């Protein structure tokens, strides 16, 4: 995709949780690493997958989420719920640095949230995080009737906003979601750190 010029892009789709809103998860991941001896990326991908979204939406409780996590991570049976709950409860969710950067790009691009949650949940979040209202659009999985990484949610987003896949940039902390976007023709950024993101936009001359 590196041969696509900057002026071909007209829209930036960004995930919400883990990119625009996120917790300080270092303590809980350190605990899991110390017990399971699995790599950071492996733990992160299992910790913040669709099950975490179900937890955030209130569809499952923390104990059920924890049992699922034990099953997904190698040596996960060695984890203790009480200890996990202690570190989980310490996490504080807040606005991440990418928010201000993307809002500063509104003169050049449409900026849209593409998230695996519901409109009802977004409505509640807007009361606490006003920046959500400053995005041009927020597309949720219940409206699209599809969840990332299913290609249909990407097709829905592009149809709704009348853009082609190769005119879109997609940012997500979930690598599987980014792989789907790239396979469809989008310029995908697997968001891991703000510094890494700045290198990405420099590489592709996005400003």
């Amino acid at each position: 995709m590196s041969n696509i010029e900057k002026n071909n892009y007209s829209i930036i789709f960004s995930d919400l949780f883990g990119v625009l809103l996120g917790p300080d998860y270092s303590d809980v991941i350190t605990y899991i690493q110390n017990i399971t001896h699995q790599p950071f990326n492996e733990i992160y991908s299992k910790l913040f997958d669709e099950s975490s979204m179900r937890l955030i939406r209130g569809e499952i409780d923390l104990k059920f989420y924890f049992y699922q996590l034990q099953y997904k991570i190698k040596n996960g049976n060695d984890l203790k719920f009480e200890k996990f709950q202690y570190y989980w409860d310490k996490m504080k969710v807040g606005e991440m640095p990418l928010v201000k950067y993307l809002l500063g790009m509104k003169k050049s691009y449409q900026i849209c949230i593409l998230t695996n949650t519901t409109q009802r949940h977004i409505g509640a979040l807007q009361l606490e995080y006003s920046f959500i209202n400053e995005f041009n659009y927020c597309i949720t999985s219940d409206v699209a009737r599809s969840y990332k990484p299913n290609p249909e949610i990407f097709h829905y987003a592009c149809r709704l906003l009348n853009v082609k896949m190769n005119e879109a940039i997609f940012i997500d902390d979930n690598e599987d979601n980014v792989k789907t976007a790239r396979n469809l023709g989008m310029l995908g950024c697997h968001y891991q750190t703000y510094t890494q993101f700045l290198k990405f936009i420099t590489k592709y001359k996005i400003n």
Side-chain angles (χ1 to χ4, degrees):
M1 298 296 294
S2 60
N3 62 328
I4 298 178
E5 296 297 329
K6 173 236 172 190
N7 60 13
N8 282 27
Y9 304 122
S10 60
I11 191 166
I12 299 173
F13 292 107
S14 175
D15 183 33
L16 180 58
F17 298 102
V19 179
L20 304 177
L21 282 178
D24 180 359
Y25 48 76
S26 54
D27 286 345
V28 70
I29 288 188
T30 297
Y31 163 65
I32 296 172
Q33 277 189 304
N34 288 340
I35 300 300
T36 65
H37 309 292
Q38 299 305 301
F40 175 93
N41 287 343
E42 176 69 15
I43 294 171
Y44 183 91
S45 66
K46 300 297 189 296
L47 196 63
F48 299 109
D49 62 3
E50 179 54 28
S51 292
S52 70
M53 291 302 306
R54 293 186 64 201
L55 176 66
I56 290 169
R57 293 193 296 262
E59 297 171 0
I60 59 175
D61 61 21
L62 185 63
K63 184 164 284 189
F64 185 79
Y65 168 75
F66 172 75
Y67 291 149
Q68 289 186 318
L69 188 68
Q70 281 186 304
Y71 178 78
K72 289 182 284 191
I73 296 179
K74 187 176 181 181
N75 302 324
N77 286 336
D78 295 330
L79 298 170
K80 305 298 181 185
F81 176 71
E82 293 77 13
K83 199 73 172 178
F84 174 82
Q85 184 179 33
Y86 169 76
Y87 289 117
W88 185 270
D89 289 343
K90 282 180 62 179
M91 291 194 297
K92 293 182 179 180
V93 174
E95 182 179 317
M96 297 179 75
L98 194 61
V99 170
K100 289 183 179 178
Y101 193 96
L102 290 185
L103 290 178
M105 300 177 76
K106 281 185 70 174
K107 292 182 179 179
S108 302
Y109 304 91
Q110 288 192 80
I111 53 171
C112 302
I113 296 171
L114 184 60
T115 176
N116 281 353
T117 191
T118 64
Q119 285 292 315
R120 182 178 180 181
H121 187 206
I122 290 296
L125 290 171
Q126 286 171 324
L127 299 177
E128 187 172 0
Y129 303 104
S130 60
F131 76 82
I132 295 174
N133 301 306
E134 298 185 57
F135 277 69
N136 296 116
Y137 216 89
C138 182
I139 298 170
T140 56
S141 54
D142 61 330
V143 171
R145 298 184 179 181
S146 181
Y147 290 90
K148 296 175 291 181
N150 189 314
E152 181 51 36
I153 193 171
F154 297 96
H155 286 296
Y156 175 89
C158 287
R159 286 196 305 268
L160 182 68
L161 298 172
N162 195 29
V163 294
K164 298 176 181 177
M165 292 289 182
N166 64 3
E167 295 172 337
I169 300 163
F170 175 70
I171 307 165
D172 201 304
D173 62 317
N174 184 301
E175 190 171 12
D176 287 339
N177 296 342
V178 176
K179 285 179 179 177
T180 297
R182 288 172 178 164
N183 288 339
L184 292 171
M186 291 182 174
L187 178 62
C189 174
H190 179 207
Y191 186 88
Q192 295 170 292
T193 66
Y194 185 63
T195 301
Q196 167 259 342
F197 170 76
L198 293 179
K199 292 179 179 177
F200 168 84
I201 62 169
T202 299
K203 178 180 179 181
Y204 290 100
K205 300 179 181 178
I206 302 165
N207 49 48

